[in-house]
Amino acid sequence: MARNAPAFWQTRSLAARLLLPLSGLFLLLAAVRRQLFRLGIRRAVRLPVPVVVVGNIAVGGSGKTPVVEWLVARLRDAGFTPGIVSRGYGGKAPGAVIVPPHGDVRLFGDEPVLLARLTACPVAVGADRPAAARALLQAYPGCDVIVADDGLQHYPLARDVEIAVVDERTLGNRWLLPAGPLREGPGRLRDVDIIIAHGALSPALSSLLDGRPVFAMHLEGSEFRRLDGAGCRNAEAFRCVRVHAVAGIGRPERFFAQLTRMGLEVVPHPFPDHHPFTAADLDFAPGEPKILTSKDAVKCASFASADTWEFPVKAHIAAGAAERILEKLTHGRPTA
């Protein structure tokens, strides 16, 4: 969970219990909103192409961005021409806009810019996801499937496949906002088409899923890329020096642990999720390497020192997940 998340979200402490009445109101409003769409009282926008939603039920990082990259590659392998829509969290672009190949993170948000770079496919951002999707299809009429990044709770956009990415630690005390980190209750996971588990799931959570298909995921990386594009190194090159790991993601400790398992001597520098990095944030330990996540690297490339490196990772997802998604896209019924 992000460093700026309240500590009481991890337990059912007194502070969390005092907020439970507000969580009850949040639950009621969320349930009413969803039922309005399920019953057709409010109509979701159905696009002329299928939509695959990748999301989660909790605040904080669960690994959605690598899953979107993986999904786009699998769709292309199957002959699709995908596009991506995202809210563009932290960006300042007005309305629904297309993210250019080298877009400004401050304007479009870190994840959309990273996805545009990683996937080389069209990306549109906007708080109104249907409007963003329409803008994308107008600009790129060859797109025949839309991937909605972090759109599980965006019910105005009708979807054909729902994918929930679950990192159980981000579920915290299992209570809804503001008493806990959940945007929707754990029971919502029984409605999705597949669950991608970033890390092991407890027996209690597994039993709650009511037979939903679960596919394990882990992230792997093997090389470090200098932010100025001047070269790559493997982990062996860093084993004789102390490195500073900088991460502004939902679960920075996972990044630090991954580098440590590779044999590096790591000094961790956690920042809040989506932190707007400046040069001052990296102005420490001159002469010692700094290693960033890909999401942070896109924000720091313009001002980082020469000895600053990106550690890119790829999602490895258990066999059968892609086939199930493609089967649902081809033959399945739309979900509300």
Side-chain angles (χ1 to χ4, degrees):
M1 195 171 298
R3 189 183 70 174
N4 56 337
F8 62 76
W9 280 3
Q10 290 297 326
T11 63
R12 298 186 172 185
S13 63
L14 176 61
R17 292 176 187 276
L18 290 173
L19 290 170
L20 272 177
L22 292 177
S23 291
L25 178 60
F26 183 92
L27 173 64
L28 176 63
L29 294 175
V32 168
R33 179 173 175 271
R34 188 173 183 222
Q35 283 299 109
L36 289 175
F37 285 101
R38 294 190 73 173
L39 297 175
I41 298 171
R42 288 189 63 186
R43 292 197 173 275
V45 174
R46 173 68 58 186
L47 298 175
V49 302
V51 173
V52 183
V53 165
V54 179
N56 63 11
I57 62 168
V59 175
S62 57
K64 294 185 302 298
T65 299
V67 171
V68 171
E69 181 189 11
W70 169 87
L71 177 59
V72 165
R74 301 292 82 74
L75 290 170
R76 280 182 169 144
D77 290 345
F80 285 95
T81 303
I84 299 170
V85 296
S86 177
R87 182 177 180 272
Y89 182 87
K92 299 177 181 178
V97 294
I98 305 297
V99 179
H102 302 286
D104 187 338
V105 171
R106 294 168 298 179
L107 189 60
F108 302 105
D110 49 15
E111 288 167 349
V113 171
L114 177 60
L115 284 169
R117 189 186 80 176
L118 291 175
T119 65
C121 76
V123 178
V125 298
D128 183 337
R129 239 61 67 92
R134 288 195 187 104
L136 189 149
L137 292 173
Q138 183 175 5
Y140 297 90
C143 282
D144 54 14
V145 62
I146 294 291
V147 177
D149 173 41
D150 198 19
L152 197 60
Q153 289 80 32
H154 195 83
Y155 293 114
L157 179 61
R159 66 285 308 267
D160 301 88
V161 182
E162 288 187 331
I163 302 169
V165 185
V166 178
D167 178 342
E168 188 164 358
R169 281 205 59 188
T170 67
L171 304 185
N173 60 16
R174 306 295 200 275
W175 283 346
L176 270 70
L177 294 164
L182 300 190
R183 306 186 224 183
E184 294 184 285
R188 174 70 171 90
L189 296 173
R190 292 195 292 264
D191 298 332
V192 303
D193 295 292
I194 74 167
I195 294 164
I196 295 178
H198 191 182
L201 301 183
S202 67
L205 181 58
S206 296
S207 65
L208 178 71
L209 300 181
D210 194 30
R212 285 291 84 195
V214 178
F215 298 90
M217 174 183 81
H218 67 278
L219 303 179
E220 284 186 7
S222 59
E223 67 176 14
F224 300 82
R225 301 174 186 165
R226 221 166 84 168
L227 260 63
D228 61 6
C232 298
R233 288 182 182 176
N234 58 25
E236 192 65 37
F238 291 107
R239 285 189 181 141
C240 296
V241 297
R242 184 172 66 170
V243 302
H244 295 263
V246 178
I249 58 177
R251 286 278 308 277
E253 67 276 10
R254 189 191 289 275
F255 176 62
F256 305 146
Q258 186 174 20
L259 297 179
T260 300
R261 287 194 300 270
M262 296 172 72
L264 277 60
E265 180 187 350
V266 175
V267 179
H269 297 267
F271 287 83
D273 197 12
H274 297 287
H275 179 69
F277 282 94
T278 65
D281 293 321
L282 302 182
D283 187 16
F284 59 84
E288 294 186 339
K290 301 171 183 65
I291 299 176
L292 281 61
T293 70
S294 292
K295 192 169 87 167
D296 299 321
V298 298
K299 293 182 278 192
C300 299
S302 63
F303 54 76
S305 62
D307 207 9
T308 305
W309 303 77
E310 171 192 357
F311 181 57
V313 295
K314 296 280 188 182
H316 292 260
I317 298 173
E323 290 77 8
R324 195 171 190 105
I325 294 165
L326 293 169
E327 174 69 18
K328 187 75 165 47
L329 270 180
T330 307
H331 302 295
R333 286 182 169 182
T335 54

